[in-house]
Amino acid sequence: MSVHLVNPSDNSFGTAVITPRWLFVLAAATPRDAGDPILVDESLEQIAPETIQAGDIVGISVHTGNALRGYRVGRMARSRGAWVVYGGIHATLFPEEALDRGGAHAVVKGDGDVAWGRVVADCLAGKPERIYEGGRIEGTEFLAARWDLMQPEKYMWASVQTIRGCPKHCSFCSVWRTDGQKPRQRSHQTVIDEIVNLRQIGFRFIALADDNFYPVTLTDLRLAKQQNNLAKLEELTAIRKERFELMEELAKLPKDMVFFTQITMEAGEDGEYLDAMRKANIKGALVGVEAVTPEGLKAVYKDWNCSGEALATQLQTFRRHGVHVLGSFIFGLPTDKPETFDATVAMALKAGVTFAQFVMMTPFPGTVDFGRWEKEQDKNPTRVGDVPITRYWLIPSDIRPKMFTPHPSMSSDEIRIRTQKVWDRFYNWGAIWRRSACCPNITSRIAFIFLSKLYRQMYAGTGISTDSARRKKSKAMARWTARQCKSLFQARPMPELRSPEWDRRPAPAIGQAAFDGGGAEIPGPFVIFPES
């Protein structure tokens, strides 16, 4: 009997930018008496059916983008006599779908760090439950990943999570509904221990794969004071203090280490926090800009973001404090006009955004946008074949529409073509070369150029705004570029590196109180979060 953990994907590049962290966390959660699990990341190579035997346990994590592929893998595994278990954000939202379409024996809803061990034990006993409630565990229960099971030569960046949950409530983001609005924070000691382990085996580029690395804003603190809510103020202050303690310890690690995370735009108002990030070698962050007009921001419940000239100024603030921005922009909002596309790329270039992603508006399950769209579709349902458009992830990609919500003034094809042109303009050779001036030497500039082209090929060239012929060409180009990039990120292993001598006594849990209101970041593909 073997335990298999599968990260499904239709696109296999042979090399991946960032490790799919959940694979290695659930490997750590697998009971020792079940043996070391077999990890299959299909972004590298697809699973070989003959490796699955009767009585094996196959765990599959699905998000909306890879659900259809995940269901194919599950049905294959079940046909070969294996126990099939689903988890992940999509299975949490649609457990019955995984059971009906994916050949599942069981589905884990919520966090799997604790629940997975029970699932494996029940499968070994031949009596798995239909649904397991993983819930939202506290940060003290988060598991460190089993990086000893990784093929380090296959990945450029590793990933470590420091916090789950986001106190914001953006209309297009499901994080605050699935992971909650209460930040659940690991102790900085456990985070540093895991990062040291990764540097020992040769990783110096680490993605801090958090829902929101900036969970407490200056506005949050000010409002708590104005409301004389001393309990909440104490709670927020403790969370912020732990963030600074983490960054202080990151700053003590080898200076060749580079970290990347994602934060809200409000961090641009917090110079002290940005300076601490710079000292901690957190050199970049995905920032959800989403739209450049007040109307567009209001449409996504993010009108606390700046727009126009103020937006450009705030983005430049990040760079002045030494934090490079991967800006995330959405096209296809009801307020968008043809001129919005040119205005957006012009603003991104003017603001000095180092990387950018431009995604077409997609209503993801679990979001406010999806719920609103689903109600509208109830009045006049649209189907593609026998699949309702509100279950678009079940439609084969070759016939799946590019957009799912009609735009008041532009066709889906017009939005798709304009979006692709924005990608082309931002990532043309001249623009990339000018942005590479942020690098300290010619070797770093070459690495920057390769990474920019790889990012563009993997995420724009194979994305929803691309036609099938261009996707095929981009996949081939991405495979070649990834092979060239890989060596640029490899580092000498440091087996001699050691963690500090921590006080190992359990610390009190941080972040117990619920939060009120705000906004949130949509996860982006560069930092491996799915719903983007």
Side-chain angles (χ1 to χ4, degrees), residues 281-331:
N281 285 321
I282 303 174
K283 295 185 181 297
L286 184 147
V287 177
V289 182
E290 321 317 346
V292 300
T293 65
E295 299 80 14
L297 292 168
K298 187 175 182 180
V300 294
Y301 295 8
K302 206 165 185 174
D303 44 354
W304 40 269
N305 259 13
C306 295
S307 59
E309 287 298 318
L311 171 60
T313 299
Q314 194 164 11
L315 287 170
Q316 290 165 354
T317 300
F318 285 91
R319 189 160 181 171
R320 283 200 304 275
H321 285 270
V323 178
H324 293 277
V325 169
L326 164 56
S328 178
F329 301 85
I330 299 175
F331 289 133

Side-chain angles (χ1 to χ4, degrees), residues 143-261:
L143 293 179
R146 280 202 60 187
W147 297 119
D148 59 302
L149 299 179
M150 175 179 51
Q151 301 178 68
E153 72 281 1
K154 295 289 187 180
Y155 297 97
M156 300 179 201
W157 290 58
S159 53
V160 173
Q161 190 172 48
T162 78
I163 196 166
R164 290 180 199 166
C166 181
K168 309 304 183 183
H169 63 252
C170 300
S171 70
F172 52 82
C173 181
S174 61
V175 162
W176 59 280
R177 286 189 162 177
T178 55
D179 278 357
Q181 289 183 281
K182 179 185 77 173
R184 295 171 286 139
Q185 193 164 222
R186 291 174 76 186
S187 71
H188 64 269
Q189 293 95 333
T190 61
V191 172
I192 296 298
D193 286 345
E194 190 172 348
I195 291 172
V196 167
N197 177 217
L198 285 164
R199 187 63 190 89
Q200 287 171 338
I201 62 177
F203 278 93
R204 69 184 188 93
F205 289 85
I206 310 286
L208 303 176
D210 298 328
D211 295 329
N212 182 359
F213 191 78
Y214 185 60
V216 176
T217 69
L218 296 180
T219 300
D220 293 332
L221 294 169
R222 186 175 66 251
L223 288 175
K225 289 178 183 176
Q226 290 174 353
Q227 296 163 0
N228 200 30
N229 189 337
L230 299 182
K232 185 173 181 179
L233 181 60
E234 183 181 359
E235 183 92 34
L236 296 174
T237 302
I239 294 172
R240 182 176 172 90
K241 179 174 180 287
E242 175 68 19
R243 295 280 88 189
F244 276 95
E245 288 175 348
L246 169 62
M247 290 188 281
E248 286 172 11
E249 293 300 330
L250 289 174
K252 298 174 185 177
L253 293 170
K255 296 305 179 187
D256 68 343
M257 298 201 72
V258 176
F259 300 97
F260 182 95
T261 190

Side-chain angles (χ1 to χ4, degrees), residues 305-496:
N305 259 13
C306 295
S307 59
E309 287 298 318
L311 171 60
T313 299
Q314 194 164 11
L315 287 170
Q316 290 165 354
T317 300
F318 285 91
R319 189 160 181 171
R320 283 200 304 275
H321 285 270
V323 178
H324 293 277
V325 169
L326 164 56
S328 178
F329 301 85
I330 299 175
F331 289 133
L333 300 174
T335 56
D336 283 352
K337 300 176 177 63
E339 55 267 28
T340 301
F341 297 84
D342 285 339
T344 298
V345 70
M347 193 285 304
L349 292 169
K350 178 180 179 180
V353 170
T354 309
F355 288 88
Q357 62 183 30
F358 307 95
V359 298
M360 292 171 63
M361 181 66 188
T362 302
F364 283 108
T367 65
V368 171
D369 288 341
F370 185 87
R372 187 166 47 205
W373 176 56
E374 200 170 29
K375 287 181 180 177
E376 291 171 357
Q377 278 291 313
D378 286 343
K379 302 171 188 174
N380 187 21
T382 302
R383 303 180 76 87
V384 177
D386 63 346
V387 180
I389 193 67
T390 53
R391 297 296 179 267
Y392 58 85
W393 53 88
L394 299 175
I395 303 169
S397 58
D398 57 333
I399 60 171
R400 188 180 301 166
K402 299 294 184 184
M403 289 193 69
F404 312 107
T405 55
H407 193 273
S409 62
M410 290 182 284
S411 69
S412 296
D413 274 348
E414 182 180 0
I415 294 170
R416 177 182 64 81
I417 291 168
R418 289 183 181 276
T419 300
Q420 199 65 50
K421 286 181 178 177
V422 168
W423 277 99
D424 292 345
R425 182 175 166 189
F426 189 85
Y427 285 99
N428 69 43
W429 286 106
I432 294 173
W433 176 251
R434 287 189 292 274
R435 288 196 295 276
S436 74
C438 67
C439 299
N441 53 54
I442 190 63
T443 302
S444 297
R445 293 188 79 166
I446 292 170
F448 181 93
I449 291 168
F450 268 106
L451 185 60
S452 295
K453 281 297 183 181
L454 176 63
Y455 184 76
R456 189 248 174 275
Q457 294 294 339
M458 294 182 86
Y459 297 119
T462 60
I464 196 170
S465 64
T466 314
D467 58 46
S468 58
R470 193 165 180 169
R471 270 201 302 272
K472 184 176 180 181
K473 181 179 178 181
S474 285
K475 286 180 186 178
M477 181 61 71
R479 288 190 188 97
W480 182 86
T481 308
R483 287 196 297 270
Q484 314 314 310
C485 279
K486 186 171 59 176
S487 62
L488 298 172
F489 293 93
Q490 291 174 339
R492 180 185 67 82
M494 297 182 69
E496 71 281 5

Side-chain angles (χ1 to χ4, degrees), residues 28-50:
T30 302
R32 292 292 180 176
D33 58 2
D36 287 342
I38 299 167
L39 309 186
V40 181
D41 181 2
E42 289 200 315
S43 67
L44 303 176
E45 300 294 340
Q46 293 200 329
I47 191 170
E50 61 272 16

